[in-house]
Amino acid sequence: MRINKFITILMSLTVFMITSCDDFLTENPNGQLSSESAFTEHGDLESSLTALYKLVRNQTNGSMGFSPTLMGSDLSTHRASNKINFRQYDRFAISADNGNMNGSKTGSWRLPYKTIKCCNYILNGVDNTPDATEDELTFIKGQAYYWRAYAYFHLVKNWGPIPLVLEQEVSEDAPLASVQEVYNQIISDLQEAEKLPANYDESPYAMNGVNVVVSKAAAEATLGYVYMTMAGWPLNLGTEYYTKAATELKKVIDGVDNGTYYYKLYDDFKDIHSKKCNWNNTETILAVYYSTEFNEGDNGQSARGGINDLPAECGAWNDTRAEIGFWHKFPTGPRKDATYGPKLYVKDWDELVDWWEEGTQQQPYFLKSAYTRSDSDEEYDYTKSYSSQAYGWQDQAHICVRLAEVYCWYAEAVGRSGSSDQKAKAVDVLNKVINRAQSTEDLPLDGSESLDELAERAYDEHGWEIAGWYWGSIGALKYNEQRMDRLKDHFAERVANEAIEVAPGIFMKEPIEVTGTWNDEMNYSPYPEGDVILNSNFDNSKRLNSYTE
């Protein structure tokens, strides 16, 4: 049975809760159920899970919801056309009325809060379910705890102090919780989610030999990365939290080593985002699964992907492109070949050219979300037009966490913890990632490196591994640069915009201008304009770069 049947099975269940879970900021109680009165039948357990995963898929299926990741050094966007909302992030000049955070169906601010509301709905009422076993309640609550933590992690990384809502009711003038308070809640939720099973045996929670809902390992890996984030900016909790991160991430690694967890690295990097491995991806610890079998479009259960990230020249939308600087630094080899399009197909010319060819946008691009039609078993062919092999909706799973990331995070956490006790293991797992990349420029470690050198190498390797992949990712490059207080360095590089030799005698600059003066509040997005009007606790005074288009 294919994994995409998971969506169809779940969606065939009663979905009485979706209206109650679906809106956060606009309270209209008519026709809604309170969580205390909703769980009146045993079947309501599965219905609540259906409603939750519908909102999770909504939150993670569009590029607009992940616009903040364009602040990272790997991603850019189209220099003109209708991409102004994306360009604002690329320029660190985001307006409070930016549609990519305000949209009710696509917004990076509103959608996580809808997920949170649904999780609160479950957690505040599910214990009332008649005849529910302890295991059933632990499972349903574990899913809600995890996705509430996921949503708050997204919000606190991108906005800092935010309203921390744990009940169903919403106050328009809710006070802002501090960053520390939000992280305390995230930790508490993930610790509850760690009570989930290591593996699932039955459909629809496991298919084709892989878990398709949150498992114990997903909670452990996420908590490890949360501790790493807390160790850095803005909390700067330092070595104690890197030690906590290493301890948590080692749980996943030990589970892999002793066979408790089935996860393993692919031999070929290109298989990670391939179509052939989409339904039984053994490197994926957590993903959000989509299906074109249950409707397409914004109201269906299918995913966005390739059409957003592939070039306008080949017939796609060009929401994202790759930054020239990061492309230039990326070590050559199979990993780079699978990450970037080696050539650019120009539909109007019916010709393959280098991305710096005059007459094109002159920007590299990513291939990771390229994906063919759901009725095709073929892999995407970058030498052809987008429309000849794909369309805007697809079944591609959006990977949130995978094993190679855990290896990189663990090695970095060990290095920054200042303790050499786990250094040998950290070198071993990091070398698994390095050796898989097969780059003659990026040789494996020999164990003589200092802890600082280990940490920096692991940081770099994670950047190469994750480059250009923002779909659901908890560790997109922007967030690594933010926690290491390096977004300001990237900002300075973009302002300077020095020419880069991309081929012998050919020098290019980033085509999108960045100006202004840095302040640390620019690590964050401004609070949405509508919420600022309603809630005097929001302050955008330092978050708005003066650049206007």
Side-chain angles (χ1 to χ4, degrees):
M1 182 181 296
R2 287 166 60 89
I3 284 180
N4 62 355
K5 294 286 175 67
F6 164 66
I7 309 298
T8 305
I9 291 171
L10 282 183
M11 291 307 297
S12 68
L13 301 170
T14 305
V15 289
F16 74 97
M17 302 178 53
I18 290 178
T19 301
S20 296
C21 291
D22 194 46
D23 206 0
F24 172 72
L25 295 174
T26 303
E27 285 295 304
N28 179 3
N30 295 332
Q32 296 189 10
L33 297 171
S34 69
S35 56
E36 291 80 3
S37 62
F39 292 88
T40 59
E41 300 177 3
H42 190 269
D44 295 345
L45 293 174
E46 290 184 328
S47 297
S48 69
L49 190 65
T50 300
L52 173 57
Y53 270 88
K54 179 181 185 295
L55 291 173
V56 168
R57 287 191 295 274
N58 287 350
Q59 182 183 334
T60 58
N61 86 332
S63 59
M64 294 181 183
F66 298 106
S67 294
T69 61
L70 270 82
M71 298 164 73
S73 63
D74 55 337
L75 286 164
S76 185
T77 186
H78 196 289
R79 68 179 74 188
S81 80
N82 63 347
K83 307 303 178 187
I84 184 171
N85 289 331
F86 292 96
R87 284 195 300 279
Q88 286 184 357
Y89 284 96
D90 193 28
R91 286 184 166 130
F92 293 82
I94 309 136
S95 65
D97 63 351
N98 184 290
N100 286 10
M101 64 182 175
N102 287 312
S104 60
K105 290 185 177 181
T106 58
S108 57
W109 169 268
R110 300 194 184 280
L111 291 182
Y113 270 119
K114 289 184 177 183
T115 299
I116 289 165
K117 182 177 180 181
C118 190
C119 293
N120 292 343
Y121 190 94
I122 293 170
L123 293 170
N124 292 331
V126 72
D127 284 333
N128 299 325
T129 308
D131 302 320
T133 68
E134 192 64 33
D135 285 346
E136 288 173 327
L137 292 175
T138 298
F139 169 71
I140 295 296
K141 288 194 288 187
Q143 301 298 312
Y145 278 123
Y146 180 86
W147 290 113
R148 185 168 72 177
Y150 175 95
Y152 271 126
F153 194 33
H154 169 88
L155 289 165
V156 75
K157 287 183 295 184
N158 291 309
W159 280 276
I162 52 172
L164 185 62
V165 183
L166 303 178
E167 303 296 332
Q168 191 175 348
E169 297 302 318
V170 178
S171 172
E172 288 182 344
D173 60 350
L176 304 189
S178 69
V179 170
Q180 181 69 65
E181 289 170 327
V182 178
Y183 273 110
N184 289 345
Q185 186 61 50
I186 292 169
I187 291 170
S188 175
D189 284 354
L190 290 174
Q191 288 172 338
E192 290 293 329
E194 284 185 310
K195 298 175 183 177
L196 287 166
N199 298 295
Y200 300 98
D201 299 323
E202 298 181 357
S203 166
Y205 310 128
M207 293 192 180
N208 292 341
V210 298
N211 300 321
V212 294
V213 292
V214 180
S215 67
K216 184 180 184 69
E220 292 170 341
T222 303
L223 181 54
Y225 186 65
V226 167
Y227 282 139
M228 287 183 69
T229 305
M230 296 175 72
W233 190 92
L235 296 178
N236 296 315
L237 297 177
T239 55
E240 177 187 356
Y241 274 73
Y242 281 121
T243 300
K244 287 175 178 284
T247 299
E248 203 66 36
L249 295 163
K250 185 68 158 44
K251 294 178 184 179
V252 181
I253 295 169
D254 287 345
V256 170
D257 290 347
N258 65 30
T260 301
Y261 300 141
Y262 60 80
Y263 312 112
K264 61 182 180 180
L265 298 186
Y266 284 109
D267 292 334
D268 295 325
F269 182 87
K270 64 180 175 58
D271 287 341
I272 295 167
H273 298 286
S274 69
K275 191 154 195 173
K276 71 175 181 178
C277 298
N278 187 61
W279 306 110
N280 57 352
N281 193 307
T282 58
E283 189 165 330
T284 295
I285 296 174
L286 177 70
V288 181
Y289 292 92
Y290 295 86
S291 175
T292 55
E293 291 185 1
F294 198 88
N295 296 335
E296 298 179 15
D298 289 326
N299 294 318
Q301 301 303 315
S302 49
R304 291 282 191 189
I307 196 170
N308 299 80
D309 298 328
L310 290 171
E313 291 95 330
C314 77
W317 287 356
N318 225 134
D319 287 355
T320 70
R321 287 298 276 261
E323 283 204 8
I324 297 170
F326 198 82
W327 170 89
H328 184 255
K329 296 173 186 175
F330 201 116
T332 59
R335 182 168 59 183
K336 185 171 187 176
D337 293 341
T339 298
Y340 296 96
K343 291 281 187 177
L344 173 65
Y345 177 79
V346 182
K347 187 176 180 181
D348 291 345
W349 303 347
D350 190 23
E351 185 179 352
L352 276 175
V353 301
D354 293 312
W355 61 258
W356 53 83
E357 183 78 17
E358 187 174 351
T360 72
Q361 288 298 312
Q362 296 185 312
Q363 294 170 282
Y365 67 98
F366 292 105
L367 279 175
K368 290 180 177 179
S369 65
Y371 204 75
T372 57
R373 292 186 179 89
S374 56
D375 58 0
S376 170
D377 292 326
E378 298 295 321
E379 300 291 348
Y380 189 87
D381 184 349
Y382 71 87
T383 69
K384 301 177 181 178
S385 71
Y386 178 81
S387 59
S388 67
Q389 55 191 317
Y391 49 52
W393 296 100
Q394 58 196 45
D395 297 328
Q396 186 181 28
H398 287 171
I399 300 173
C400 304
V401 183
R402 55 184 174 87
L403 182 59
E405 292 186 272
V406 170
Y407 286 162
C408 292
W409 292 334
Y410 172 70
E412 184 184 349
V414 168
R416 300 200 194 282
S417 72
S419 173
S420 60
D421 292 350
Q422 299 182 61
K423 180 183 174 184
K425 184 64 175 179
V427 168
D428 176 59
V429 297
L430 184 58
N431 274 341
K432 294 178 187 294
V433 177
I434 296 171
N435 288 329
R436 197 256 302 271
Q438 299 181 46
S439 172
T440 57
E441 298 178 80
D442 193 28
L443 300 178
L445 304 172
D446 62 17
S448 66
E449 296 81 9
S450 69
L451 288 173
D452 286 342
E453 289 170 336
L454 170 64
E456 285 302 306
R457 183 63 178 279
Y459 174 89
D460 287 342
E461 291 299 331
H462 184 266
W464 310 138
E465 285 284 310
I466 202 69
W469 184 258
Y470 57 88
W471 297 97
S473 170
I474 68 168
L477 192 60
K478 183 252 183 172
Y479 304 127
N480 280 342
E481 293 174 330
Q482 181 185 48
R483 69 176 170 84
M484 291 301 294
D485 199 17
R486 294 175 180 175
L487 276 181
K488 63 185 179 185
D489 301 328
H490 173 51
F491 175 84
E493 289 179 353
R494 287 293 301 273
V495 171
N497 201 13
E498 296 180 1
I500 297 169
E501 188 172 20
V502 300
I506 299 177
F507 292 83
M508 304 292 298
K509 293 185 176 184
E510 302 292 350
I512 295 177
E513 180 185 20
V514 175
T515 62
T517 302
W518 177 264
N519 70 76
D520 281 349
E521 285 294 305
M522 289 166 59
N523 279 287
Y524 297 131
S525 301
Y527 298 109
E529 183 178 57
D531 296 88
V532 173
I533 293 171
L534 294 173
N535 189 337
S536 61
N537 294 306
F538 291 120
D539 181 9
N540 280 336
S541 60
K542 295 182 180 179
R543 296 191 175 190
L544 301 174
N545 190 324
S546 60
Y547 182 93
T548 57
E549 184 168 340

